[in-house]
Amino acid sequence: MEKILVTGATGQLGSELKVLSENYSQYEWFFADRTAISLNNIKLLKEQLELIKPTIILNCGAYTAVDKAETETELADVVNHLAVEVLATYAKEHGVKLIHISTDYVFDGTSSTALNEDAVTNPINVYGATKRAGELAAMVVNPDVLIIRTSWVYSRFGNNFVKTMKRLLQERDTISVVNDQIGSPTYAADLAQAMMEIVTAQEWIPGIYNYSNEGEISWYEFVLAIQEITGDSCEVSGIPSSSYPTPAARPAFSLLDKSKIKEVYGVTVPDYKESLRKCLKFKV
């Protein structure tokens, strides 16, 4: 029986894969938290992989504290770059399939059209730079790695934008949300499903793929969509990014073109509102 190792198992995507795993009993599943798989300790990571002996690795673990990464540069680089290189090397040496999750933050945000997998990368923050370094390192040591870039991930699990905004819409009379950063959200349950469609596909076709839900919106419009579903009466106003300064810069435009994953693997990509409704049916 093939063994699937899921890193970052307690995160949003890892948690959704755990739910989904019940539909894939043909695999042995190993859900690894930070103690079972130490992405921040390269030497230990190598030993842990040899113990677990996976035949498929779904790398959902990452250093994702975008603002904190500006000061915790070394830690972000170990987790997002050097650990990914170790996973890719292990996968190469043992004939293991590796799906690695990356980010829209590898782009600088200057595009005005949806970004495909060949678009020029130019990260504008440490998080994006370390994630891009991880992509490059993985592809150098293992050309058979499959990378999925995603954006604005949310879920019923963990802390995320949807949960925070749902709470604020209930607690406050007014909230202000950035309206000049454009992209598309990703419901982690949809991404988990796409990953399993790739894992179970008849042919493994490596490379970089994009995945997010369909739609082109700002964070402000995303909150309006949440409000539309919840029915909360809070007043929501849009503000420019300059009115909400953060330690790390964010790309102003990072909409991902999903044509490749749809064509190569036949993956269905739901509309963002449809997926948002599904998520909000849970008590998030």
Side-chain angles (χ1 to χ4, degrees):
M1 184 183 282
E2 289 201 272
K3 182 192 275 190
I4 297 178
L5 165 63
V6 178
T7 68
T10 57
Q12 298 184 84
L13 185 53
S15 297
E16 293 288 4
L17 279 164
K18 194 160 198 175
V19 172
L20 196 59
S21 67
E22 294 171 16
N23 301 335
Y24 294 91
S25 56
Q26 71 267 41
Y27 298 103
E28 180 186 350
W29 291 82
F30 190 103
F31 290 94
D33 61 11
R34 289 174 186 174
T35 55
I37 281 290
S38 306
L39 297 175
N40 62 342
N41 185 327
I42 300 306
K43 184 176 181 294
L44 188 56
L45 175 59
K46 291 176 183 175
E47 294 168 5
Q48 290 167 331
L49 289 168
E50 294 293 348
L51 281 171
I52 297 166
K53 293 183 169 57
T55 53
I56 298 164
I57 301 172
L58 306 181
N59 184 33
C60 308
Y63 181 107
T64 57
V66 177
D67 288 323
K68 213 186 258 190
E70 295 295 308
T71 50
E72 292 187 350
T73 311
E74 195 174 330
L75 178 59
D77 189 64
V78 171
V79 176
N80 292 343
H81 167 206
L82 301 180
V84 178
E85 186 174 29
V86 170
L87 292 172
T89 302
Y90 178 88
K92 177 71 174 173
E93 291 172 352
H94 296 80
V96 169
K97 292 176 180 174
L98 168 62
I99 297 181
H100 168 62
I101 302 300
S102 192
T103 174
D104 61 320
Y105 278 31
V106 298
F107 300 112
D108 62 13
T110 57
S111 176
S112 56
T113 56
L115 295 144
N116 66 24
E117 291 79 1
D118 297 323
V120 176
T121 58
N122 183 30
I124 56 173
N125 57 42
V126 170
Y127 167 69
T130 59
K131 290 294 284 184
R132 179 56 178 154
E135 288 182 359
L136 292 168
M139 290 186 292
V140 166
V141 298
N142 185 355
D144 280 335
V145 71
L146 194 148
I147 295 166
I148 302 177
R149 289 177 181 152
T150 191
S151 61
W152 303 16
V153 177
Y154 70 94
S155 162
R156 58 174 149 151
F157 302 105
N159 298 314
N160 56 66
F161 183 80
V162 170
K163 280 187 174 182
T164 301
M165 289 301 132
K166 184 173 181 280
R167 177 176 54 81
L168 292 178
L169 285 168
Q170 291 168 343
E171 291 176 357
R172 296 189 184 175
D173 295 326
T174 62
I175 54 173
S176 300
V177 188
V178 168
N179 63 4
D180 57 358
Q181 291 172 22
I182 307 298
S184 186
T186 304
Y187 181 27
D190 292 340
L191 177 54
Q193 182 62 52
M195 291 169 76
M196 289 313 298
E197 286 175 29
I198 290 169
V199 167
T200 56
Q202 288 185 325
E203 190 180 359
W204 178 262
I205 304 166
I208 298 176
Y209 294 83
N210 292 335
Y211 187 94
S212 66
N213 287 122
E214 297 287 16
E216 179 179 340
I217 58 169
S218 66
W219 291 105
Y220 164 68
E221 289 168 313
F222 195 19
V223 176
L224 292 183
I226 297 167
Q227 186 180 43
E228 184 184 313
I229 295 164
T230 62
D232 293 305
S233 57
C234 174
E235 185 185 328
V236 184
S237 57
I239 57 168
S241 300
S242 56
S243 299
Y244 187 73
T246 54
R250 266 72 169 171
F253 185 97
S254 59
L255 183 66
L256 300 172
D257 182 326
K258 278 80 70 171
S259 304
K260 184 179 175 183
I261 201 166
K262 288 190 274 192
E263 289 164 10
V264 175
Y265 280 106
V267 169
T268 301
V269 182
D271 179 77
Y272 84 94
K273 275 194 183 179
E274 178 191 330
S275 294
L276 182 60
R277 282 192 192 95
K278 279 183 189 172
C279 183
L280 288 171
K281 279 179 183 172
F282 297 104
K283 289 186 177 178
V284 300

